[in-house]
Amino acid sequence: QVQVEESGGGLVQAGGSLRLSCAASGRTFSNYAMGWFRQAPGKEREFVSAIRWNIGNTYYADSVKGRFTISRDNAKNTVYLQMNNLKPEDTAVYYCAARGRQVYYSRLVRESDYDYWGQGTQVTVSS
């Protein structure tokens, strides 16, 4: 059984910062990539960022590039999302996902690129 759990969400003023954490665990789990998605009320779930576990390649949505930074702790199977200069439009439920399959050509931007999902953590940015 593979478990994925996010934490670190909360309320922050526009221009502020927040760091999300996500840990993936399971005795049979092989971590190849982890990523972040978000979903605002009335909108579709969208890709935010992802990281390849072996060499640390990172990917970002244009909307967060330059403001968000994804990083990992290989030993703990934990991924972090440092969010700076937050905007009200960043308000959403943020979901963490993990891929248990080898990455060959996938750019890791689609929900189908991942195998396991967390419950989500709420991020609210006030103006």
Side-chain angles (χ1 to χ4, degrees), residues 68-86:
F68 291 10
T69 302
I70 190 170
S71 61
R72 75 198 192 284
D73 184 329
N74 293 275
K76 292 181 174 293
N77 278 331
T78 298
V79 65
Y80 306 95
L81 186 67
Q82 178 66 46
M83 305 184 292
N84 296 327
N85 192 24
L86 284 162

Side-chain angles (χ1 to χ4, degrees), residues 55-77:
I55 58 175
N57 306 62
T58 58
Y59 309 89
Y60 297 94
D62 289 341
S63 60
V64 306
K65 191 173 298 182
R67 299 188 298 120
F68 291 10
T69 302
I70 190 170
S71 61
R72 75 198 192 284
D73 184 329
N74 293 275
K76 292 181 174 293
N77 278 331

